[in-house]
């Protein structure tokens, strides 16, 4: 059995494996992160470590959804990053071996596969792809979005 | 006994011995009767032999033994020939190559040829790592993917690992057997094996397995050269370690004091305990930074050899002096200095010195900074020629060239795309150098100054912070936010009156010490809203690409010493950010690299 942490983006349900998550933080104070592409919202202090906050809805094309106060901190040694999402949902325990999982071959949408769980479609986030997308954002001058944010 | 954990230590120490050997050889070459030098050389070869033998690196040990024998002859005579020095230097190069082999987990190359007296050239030619090491066995990277439908993938993977192990020596495996046994989702296996088989043969072994959906076999990616891949090691004096232990003891005592004071609600005791804690932490901090300090010798040590080889290659007669090699710097800074230093020395030999001359590398402390200078007494640079060249290359306008001071004209050589070398030489390449040198120095929070007098030599002076971990910054306000600028990048701060601003074309400028400086708004660079200018404008004068600019900010919030955190990957790829820091009140402030940001804007076509 695999534990999943599901969260909503717009009408769609996404999930991370719990093993990919270090913790969930609440009401973290957000600080100005200058000179960064628009997909970064801010920087937060997680136990003394400065981590950037990725605006996942924006990166995946849901610019208008609200962002939850609770944010997901990814496991430090792989990919130290905080993800802002629309809304977190209770954990799910899923048998990925027997669940019907549709592998996703589209290269660029950061989805590893789509899981049909009791009639609900859950998209599993592909952190490797996400990392590549962010690397691209960070290494193109000015990012593929605009150069810098104006609010916050 | 597993020796692998001592490998990094061995490599570091062996490289230090080699560096000493090179330096000794170069100095003995100038004074062949230097008996104590020859003795010292003998001892270095002996140490390398002993270390290599105890680690089981047979070829290195054999070569060390050979060099020792070779030297023994001259030790008895009390003098050495220049042919022998060439041969010994070739031997040093060969050991260097052997260390590279060991570092890259390749089998050591054979030294039999060298020891039986083949021309020394063969050894230096081998220095470039060959794509296929001359050995029967090669390393292969194997990745296997199981079909989605396979039941109990863990058991299948274990079988596959066993199969891999029969093909050759299994070097590493991801996930490992233990990880698979612990359970979890695994359908992919990445392994590295050392085998006599060809990639195609290995591949066909696995294509017969029905559960395997994809097999990929390739030569492993070459490791980045140098010893960056291995976790760097430092040797720490026992005296310093004792001080750490003492401090730890005091901290433990302090904790009990605080606990008991808290238990008894003894506010005075708590206050005293906290004061003590603050003092202990400050002390600890200081001592920890001390561990990172290394003498500058660790990078300048290899320079005498470099100068000798380059002098010989270019047929010039060069005297090389090193001064202040005991000055200490943060090891992170030293590591970044190697390439810039080599580059400046190559420049000096190639373009500075015509036929014969002196190059001096000197280091000294100046308050809380370290100065490092590369000086030559060669032809020097002509500011007028540099101006003309920059205009020809379209780097500056002829109007800019006319008003440019001589000092500023010299800094033009740091502009990307500027090269005065009329021809490309083997020594300093295509003139892609000084911009890279300057960028490297500034990345460390340092400053590069160039001064030169025609016919009287050129001096490159690097002003460096002692440590990269703690730097002094100027906090500035912009749009109700706080950002920091490294103090080394700040020449001056001032408030100017709005009516002091003039316009020159599209550019706003202001007059400062009889010089017109362009004004650049930090808000604009950061993409923040720009309000109407107020009566008083706060300006930071900084130098970017050799040119002074005025950076307009909303206000100043003082100077602070801060502990810099590097940013996690991939955010560290962002140009314009030099790390972040957490202030005492918990606020996160980022340190801006103005030059990086301006370059980024220029490249994204704004």
């Amino acid at each position: 059995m695999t534990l999943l942490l599901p969260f909503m983006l717009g009408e769609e349900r996404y999930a991370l494996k719990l093993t990919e998550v270090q913790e969930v933080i609440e009401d973290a104070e957000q600080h100005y992160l200058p000179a960064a592409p628009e997909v970064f919202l801010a920087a937060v202090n997680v136990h003394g470590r400065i981590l950037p906050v990725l605006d996942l809805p924006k990166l995946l094309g849901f610019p208008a959804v609200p962002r939850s106060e609770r944010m997901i901190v990814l496991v430090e040694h792989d990919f130290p990053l905080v993800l802002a999402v629309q809304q977190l949902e209770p954990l799910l325990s899923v048998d990925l071996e027997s669940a019907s999982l549709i592998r996703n071959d589209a290269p660029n949408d950061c989805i590893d596969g789509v899981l049909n769980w009791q009639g609900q479609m859950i998209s599993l986030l592909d952190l490797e792809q996400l990392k590549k997308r962010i690397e691209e954002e960070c290494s193109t001058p000015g990012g593929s979005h605009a150069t810098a944010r104006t609010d916050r | 006994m597993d020796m692998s954990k001592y490998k990094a230590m061995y490599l570091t120490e062996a490289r230090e011995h080699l560096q000493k050997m090179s330096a000794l050889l170069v100095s003995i070459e100038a004074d062949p009767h230097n008996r104590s030098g020859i003795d010292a050389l003998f001892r270095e070869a002996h140490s390398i032999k002993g270390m290599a033998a105890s680690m089981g690196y047979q070829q290195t040990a054999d070569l060390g033994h050979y060099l020792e024998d070779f030297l023994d002859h001259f030790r008895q005579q009390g003098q050495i020939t220049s042919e022998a020095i060439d041969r010994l230097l070739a031997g040093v190069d060969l050991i260097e190559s052997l260390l590279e082999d060991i570092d890259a987990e390749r089998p050591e190359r054979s030294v039999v040829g060298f020891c039986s007296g083949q021309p020394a050239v063969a050894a230096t030619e081998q220095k470039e790592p060959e794509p296929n090491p001359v050995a029967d066995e090669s390393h292969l990277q194997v990745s296997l993917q199981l079909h989605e439908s396979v039941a109990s993938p863990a058991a299948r993977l274990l079988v596959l690992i066993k199969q891999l192990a029969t093909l050759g020596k299994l070097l590493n495996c991801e996930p490992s057997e233990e990880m698979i046994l612990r359970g979890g989702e695994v359908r992919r296996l990445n392994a590295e094996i050392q085998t006599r088989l060809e990639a195609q043969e290995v591949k066909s072994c696995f294509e017969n397995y029905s559960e395997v959906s994809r097999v990929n076999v390739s030569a492993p990616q070459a490791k980045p050269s140098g010893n960056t891949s291995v976790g760097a090691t430092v040797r720490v004096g026992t005296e310093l370690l004792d001080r750490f232990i003492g401090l730890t003891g005091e901290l433990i005592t302090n904790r009990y004091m605080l606990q008991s004071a808290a238990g008894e609600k003894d506010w005075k005791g708590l206050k005293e305990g906290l004061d003590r804690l603050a003092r202990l932490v400050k002390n600890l901090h200081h001592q920890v930074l001390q561990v990172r300090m290394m003498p500058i010798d660790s990078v300048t040590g290899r320079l005498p050899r470099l100068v000798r080889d380059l002098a010989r290659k270019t047929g010039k007669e060069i005297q090389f002096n090193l001064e202040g090699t005991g000055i200490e710097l943060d090891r992170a800074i030293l590591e970044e200095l190697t390439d810039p230093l080599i580059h400046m020395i190559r420049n000096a030999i190639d373009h500075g010195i015509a036929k014969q001359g002196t190059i001096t590398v000197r280091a000294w402390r100046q308050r809380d900074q370290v100065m490092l200078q590369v000086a030559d007494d060669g032809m020097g640079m002509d500011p007028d020629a540099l101006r003309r060249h920059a205009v020809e290359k379209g780097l500056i306008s002829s109007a800019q060239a006319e008003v440019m001071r001589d000092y500023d004209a010299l800094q033009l050589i740091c502009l990307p795309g500027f090269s005065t070398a009329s021809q490309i030489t083997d020594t300093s390449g295509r003139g892609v150098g000084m911009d890279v040198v300057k960028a490297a120095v500034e990345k460390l929070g340092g400053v590069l100054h160039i001064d030169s007098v025609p016919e009287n030599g050129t001096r490159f002076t690097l002003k460096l912070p002692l440590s990269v971990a703690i730097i002094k910054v100027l906090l500035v306000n912009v749009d109700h936010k706080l950002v920091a600028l490294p103090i080394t990048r700040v020449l001056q701060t001032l408030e100017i009156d709005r009516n002091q601003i003039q316009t020159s074309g599209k550019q706003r400028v202001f007059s400062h010490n009889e010089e017109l400086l362009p004004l650049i708004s930090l808000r604009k660079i950061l993409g923040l809203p720009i309000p109407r200018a107020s009566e008083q404008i706060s300006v930071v004068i900084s130098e970017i690409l050799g040119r002074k600019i005025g950076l307009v900010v909303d206000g100043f919030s003082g100077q602070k010493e801060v502990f810099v955190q590097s940013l996690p990957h991939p955010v560290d790829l962002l140009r314009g950010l030099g790390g972040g820091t957490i202030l005492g009140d918990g606020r996160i402030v980022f340190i801006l690299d103005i030059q990086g940001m301006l370059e980024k804007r220029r490249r994204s076509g704004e």
Side-chain angles (χ1 to χ4, degrees):
Chain A
M1 297 299 263
T2 309
L3 281 171
L4 297 181
L5 174 62
F7 53 88
M8 298 299 293
L9 295 180
E11 299 290 298
E12 294 182 28
R13 185 171 274 107
Y14 283 77
L16 280 163
K17 290 180 192 143
L18 198 60
T19 49
E20 296 165 334
V21 175
Q22 179 183 306
E23 63 186 299
V24 170
I25 50 172
E26 210 164 340
D27 289 329
E29 197 183 331
Q30 302 198 13
H31 302 271
Y32 175 54
L33 173 60
E38 269 192 316
V39 292
F40 289 102
L41 279 177
V44 291
N45 175 353
V46 181
H47 313 304
R49 181 98 178 91
I50 301 173
L51 296 183
V53 179
L54 179 74
D55 191 350
L56 193 62
K58 176 159 234 155
L59 188 79
L60 297 184
F62 302 87
V65 306
R67 318 290 194 259
S68 163
E69 298 270 285
R70 299 165 78 199
M71 298 192 287
I72 303 169
V73 183
L74 298 180
V75 171
E76 166 102 27
H77 59 88
D78 300 338
F79 196 9
L81 186 74
V82 178
L83 296 182
V85 298
Q86 185 185 346
Q87 193 186 354
L88 286 171
E89 306 235 300
L91 292 183
L92 285 181
S93 178
V94 176
D95 184 1
L96 285 179
E97 296 280 312
S98 63
S100 54
L101 182 71
I102 307 146
R103 283 277 159 193
N104 180 29
D105 290 327
N108 255 328
D109 59 3
C110 303
I111 296 171
D112 194 24
V114 180
L115 183 74
N116 184 345
W117 190 77
Q118 299 180 345
Q120 291 179 16
M121 304 306 274
I122 303 178
S123 305
L124 289 178
L125 209 57
D126 184 334
L127 288 186
E128 279 304 311
Q129 272 189 30
L130 190 66
K131 193 174 188 170
K132 282 205 192 97
R133 278 284 294 275
I134 301 175
E135 277 170 1
E136 281 165 23
E137 288 279 339
C138 290
S139 42
T140 5
S144 46
H145 291 77
T147 33
R149 293 180 61 77
T150 48
D151 57 356
R152 206 173 286 274
Chain B
M1 188 170 148
D2 176 22
M3 303 297 274
S4 59
K5 61 179 170 187
Y6 299 111
K7 194 180 91 175
M9 215 192 290
Y10 166 77
L11 289 172
T12 313
E13 283 194 34
R15 287 197 169 111
E16 281 171 21
H17 285 296
L18 283 183
Q19 223 179 62
K20 279 190 201 143
M21 282 187 79
S22 295
L24 279 166
L25 281 164
V26 173
S27 70
I28 293 172
E29 190 175 36
D31 173 19
H33 296 277
N34 179 349
R35 187 182 282 268
S36 66
I38 299 174
D39 283 345
L41 208 50
F42 182 83
R43 285 194 299 274
E44 296 295 336
H46 183 78
S47 305
I48 291 175
K49 179 185 84 170
M51 284 163 50
S54 64
M55 291 291 292
Y57 298 133
Q58 197 50 50
Q59 298 296 324
T60 314
D62 286 350
L63 183 53
H65 184 78
Y66 170 81
L67 293 179
E68 216 184 341
D69 276 353
F70 187 74
L71 273 165
D72 198 34
H73 173 67
F74 300 103
R75 198 158 69 133
Q76 280 159 18
Q77 290 182 349
Q79 59 171 317
I80 197 161
T81 63
S82 70
E83 291 78 35
I85 291 207
D86 283 343
R87 180 138 185 85
L88 286 163
L89 283 173
V92 167
D93 288 340
L94 184 53
I95 297 183
E96 183 68 48
S97 309
L98 286 162
L99 295 181
E100 273 167 27
D101 287 341
I102 293 164
D103 198 5
E105 309 271 354
R106 286 191 297 257
E108 288 176 285
R109 64 193 71 193
S110 167
V111 300
V112 178
F114 181 83
C115 296
S116 62
Q118 274 177 18
V121 193
T124 39
E125 273 176 0
Q126 272 187 0
K127 213 179 167 193
E128 289 302 310
E130 294 159 34
N132 292 315
V134 206
D136 297 327
E137 301 198 330
S138 61
H139 288 205
L140 289 175
Q141 199 82 45
V142 183
S143 83
L144 300 167
Q145 171 87 43
L146 294 182
H147 276 295
E148 286 307 319
S149 54
V150 174
S152 59
R156 290 286 147 203
L157 283 183
L158 289 174
V159 172
L160 291 172
I161 292 178
K162 292 249 154 56
Q163 171 67 23
L164 266 175
T166 62
L167 300 176
K169 190 172 164 199
L170 191 60
L171 296 171
N172 66 54
C173 186
E174 177 73 39
S176 65
E177 282 186 69
E178 297 91 78
M179 279 161 74
I180 296 170
L181 288 170
R182 233 181 282 147
E185 261 295 296
V186 263
R187 289 187 183 274
R188 207 177 292 172
L189 183 75
N190 289 308
E192 193 177 339
I193 58 171
Q194 186 180 334
T195 176
R196 285 169 195 278
L197 300 175
E198 295 285 320
Q200 195 48 47
E201 293 174 275
V202 172
K203 194 169 178 179
S204 58
C205 284
F206 289 98
E207 278 168 345
N208 301 330
Y209 285 81
S210 60
E211 65 264 31
V212 177
S213 69
R214 220 175 54 218
V215 194
N216 220 327
V217 183
S218 60
Q221 290 181 343
K223 281 192 184 174
S225 63
N227 48 0
T228 43
S229 54
V230 193
T233 60
V234 212
R235 264 171 295 156
V236 178
T238 48
E239 187 202 344
L240 194 55
L241 273 183
D242 288 344
R243 262 184 266 156
F244 277 128
I245 293 168
L247 268 171
T248 315
E250 279 191 69
L251 279 167
I252 292 171
T253 319
N254 184 251
R255 189 188 82 181
Y256 289 121
M257 266 176 63
L258 283 170
Q259 275 174 340
S260 83
E264 291 162 17
K265 295 199 169 55
D266 168 9
W267 299 120
K268 191 165 164 279
L270 263 181
K271 170 104 186 23
E272 277 168 17
L274 285 173
D275 286 348
R276 204 177 146 83
L277 182 65
R279 190 174 52 75
L280 287 173
V281 169
K282 196 171 171 194
N283 195 350
L284 183 65
H285 186 183
H286 175 78
Q287 305 283 358
V288 170
L289 286 182
Q290 203 55 45
V291 179
R292 299 185 54 91
M293 300 302 266
M294 271 166 64
I296 221 159
D297 192 23
S298 56
V299 292
T300 55
R302 72 189 73 186
L303 297 179
R305 169 75 193 274
L306 177 83
V307 173
R308 171 202 181 267
D309 288 356
L310 290 177
R312 194 173 265 210
K313 207 181 254 174
T314 51
K316 297 178 182 177
E317 201 176 300
I318 289 160
Q319 165 86 25
F320 184 64
N321 299 328
L322 270 173
E323 293 168 17
T325 51
I327 297 282
E328 290 192 325
L329 262 176
D330 190 299
R331 54 178 298 126
I333 295 180
L334 282 174
E335 276 161 16
E336 296 296 321
L337 279 181
T338 313
D339 291 343
L341 258 180
I342 290 176
H343 195 88
M344 286 184 287
I345 286 179
R346 293 190 154 188
N347 264 340
I349 294 175
D350 233 22
H351 312 307
I353 291 172
K355 269 202 114 47
Q356 63 174 61
T358 306
I359 296 177
T360 306
V361 172
R362 62 171 73 89
W364 70 97
R365 275 286 285 274
Q366 190 170 308
R367 274 176 291 153
D368 55 352
Q369 288 183 318
V370 168
M371 313 294 282
L372 184 65
Q373 189 177 69
V374 177
D376 68 63
D377 60 354
M379 300 177 278
M381 293 188 287
D382 174 11
D384 281 330
L386 296 176
R387 283 192 194 96
R388 272 199 307 277
H389 188 78
V391 173
E392 273 165 31
K393 288 248 170 173
L395 297 168
I396 55 169
S397 67
S398 45
Q400 277 175 308
E402 262 172 51
V403 295
M404 187 172 274
R405 296 176 185 185
D406 283 356
Y407 173 82
D408 294 327
L410 291 174
Q411 321 302 316
L412 283 171
I413 63 166
C414 296
L415 287 178
F418 188 99
S419 172
T420 50
S422 46
Q423 65 192 55
I424 295 156
T425 70
D426 186 26
T427 319
S428 54
R430 303 175 157 268
V432 280
M434 287 313 295
D435 57 326
V436 180
V437 171
K438 189 167 167 98
V441 172
E442 288 176 354
K443 199 173 143 221
L444 295 169
V447 183
L448 172 68
H449 287 295
I450 302 164
D451 49 315
S452 179
V453 180
E455 304 305 320
N456 213 355
T458 304
R459 288 186 303 176
F460 295 95
T461 311
L462 279 57
K463 199 173 178 187
L464 298 160
L466 280 175
S467 155
V468 279
I470 298 220
I471 64 166
K472 209 168 200 183
V473 296
L474 173 70
L475 293 171
V476 301
N477 301 50
V478 49
D479 192 29
H480 309 290
K481 307 171 198 355
L482 208 53
V483 293
L485 302 171
I487 212 87
T488 48
R489 310 291 308 139
V490 176
L491 299 174
Q492 197 180 348
T493 60
L494 65 158
E495 304 260 327
I496 57 171
D497 233 47
R498 191 164 65 160
N499 54 30
Q500 277 176 266
I501 299 177
Q502 311 159 22
T503 26
S504 149
K506 265 192 193 166
Q507 180 67 57
R508 292 191 306 157
V509 295
F510 79 110
S511 168
H512 175 65
N513 294 349
E514 294 159 26
E515 205 177 346
L516 277 184
L517 304 187
L519 278 174
I520 299 176
S521 156
L522 183 57
R523 282 189 181 236
K524 192 169 174 202
I525 298 177
L526 294 174
L528 298 168
I530 299 171
R532 281 180 53 86
S534 52
E535 289 306 315
Q536 287 285 317
I537 295 163
S538 305
V539 176
V540 178
I541 299 193
S542 179
E543 194 194 86
I544 283 163
L545 292 171
R547 264 183 250 168
K548 277 191 198 157
I549 60 146
L551 189 69
V552 178
V553 300
D554 292 5
F556 305 116
S557 276
Q559 296 185 10
K560 250 195 164 62
E561 257 194 0
V562 297
F563 183 80
V564 185
Q565 264 188 39
S566 56
L567 298 174
H569 185 79
V571 187
D572 60 345
L573 298 173
L574 286 176
R575 300 270 298 162
L577 272 188
T581 188
I582 302 178
L583 299 181
D585 60 4
R587 271 185 299 176
I588 295 175
V589 172
F590 287 90
I591 295 149
L592 299 180
D593 162 15
I594 300 290
Q595 181 161 328
M597 283 195 301
L598 287 175
E599 276 168 19
K600 181 164 87 175
R601 269 165 55 97
R602 194 179 316 149
R603 246 176 269 162
S604 59
E606 280 192 36

